[in-house]
């Protein structure tokens, strides 16, 4: 699992960078089964609260919140491991992501992403696939950008790809 690279914002809703970085480090260590202190639980992620800097830069609230929602799946006891039935979950328990769509800002071509994600999930779940995906292919994949047409949110797709690369590394 790779630590996310949040953008930095000086205005608007933002979280304190130091607090977020420290919490994300604990999440990554827990997900990778490294001991750097107490493990982070799904409840810790759901109840996380960060200060808002009065002056100076911070991380955008929506980027951090999106990461935290995804991080719940990586932690022990998270939705991907809790044993809840999901028809789209494969043999290894890796389920299909739900990406937000965008129209008025740049996004990724939906058909290209769907096709690639289908191959990633089949590979990660050990299902038969004509062209198994490698971690290097995930790292180097490029999707066509779309503007003014419906596309997938770039940050969400990239976050999923970072996670998927860890599955196959």
């Amino acid at each position: 699992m790779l630590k996310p690279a949040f953008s930095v914002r000086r205005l608007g809703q933002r979280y304190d960078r130091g607090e977020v970085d420290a919490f994300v480090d604990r999440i990554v260590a827990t997900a990778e089964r490294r001991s750097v202190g107490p493990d982070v639980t799904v409840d810790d992620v759901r109840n996380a609260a960060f200060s808002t800097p009065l002056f100076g830069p911070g991380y955008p609230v929506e980027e951090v919140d999106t990461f935290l929602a995804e991080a719940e799946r990586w932690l022990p006891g998270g939705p991907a491991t809790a044993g809840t039935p999901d028809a789209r979950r494969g043999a290894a328990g890796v389920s299909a992501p739900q990406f937000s769509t965008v129209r008025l800002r740049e996004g990724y071509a939906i058909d290209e992403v769907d096709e690639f994600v289908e191959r990633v999930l089949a590979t990660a779940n050990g299902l038969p696939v004509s062209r198994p995906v490698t971690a290097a292919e995930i790292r180097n994949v490029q999707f066509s950008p779309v503007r003014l047409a419906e596309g997938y949110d770039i940050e969400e797709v990239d976050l999923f790809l970072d996670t998927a690369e860890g599955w196959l590394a």
Side-chain angles (χ1 to χ4, degrees), residues 4-90:
F6 300 117
S7 59
V8 176
R9 175 184 290 172
R10 292 196 177 280
L11 300 173
Q13 292 185 329
R14 60 200 190 285
Y15 290 137
D16 181 271
R17 294 186 311 175
E19 292 176 16
V20 171
D21 286 340
F23 191 65
V24 167
D25 286 342
R26 287 185 51 219
I27 291 172
V28 171
T30 299
E32 293 178 346
R33 311 281 194 260
R34 292 184 287 120
S35 178
V36 294
D39 284 347
V40 177
T41 66
V42 172
D43 286 337
D44 292 336
V45 172
R46 290 179 182 161
N47 296 319
F50 306 104
S51 302
T52 300
L54 293 175
F55 302 104
Y59 292 137
V61 168
E62 57 276 357
E63 287 181 28
V64 175
D65 289 348
T66 298
F67 169 78
L68 293 177
E70 182 70 19
E72 287 182 24
R73 295 181 0 172
W74 307 324
L75 297 173
T81 60
T84 57
D86 183 344
R88 299 177 333 158
R89 186 172 293 146

Side-chain angles (χ1 to χ4, degrees), residues 41-136:
T41 66
V42 172
D43 286 337
D44 292 336
V45 172
R46 290 179 182 161
N47 296 319
F50 306 104
S51 302
T52 300
L54 293 175
F55 302 104
Y59 292 137
V61 168
E62 57 276 357
E63 287 181 28
V64 175
D65 289 348
T66 298
F67 169 78
L68 293 177
E70 182 70 19
E72 287 182 24
R73 295 181 0 172
W74 307 324
L75 297 173
T81 60
T84 57
D86 183 344
R88 299 177 333 158
R89 186 172 293 146
V94 179
S95 58
Q98 295 283 332
F99 300 121
S100 301
T101 56
V102 296
R103 183 177 295 273
L104 299 177
R105 60 186 166 106
E106 186 174 71
Y108 285 141
I110 290 175
D111 293 342
E112 292 177 19
V113 173
D114 286 344
E115 179 184 326
F116 189 74
V117 167
E118 187 175 312
R119 287 181 45 225
V120 168
L121 293 175
T123 302
N125 288 318
L127 301 173
V129 61
S130 60
R131 289 182 16 236
V133 178
T134 64

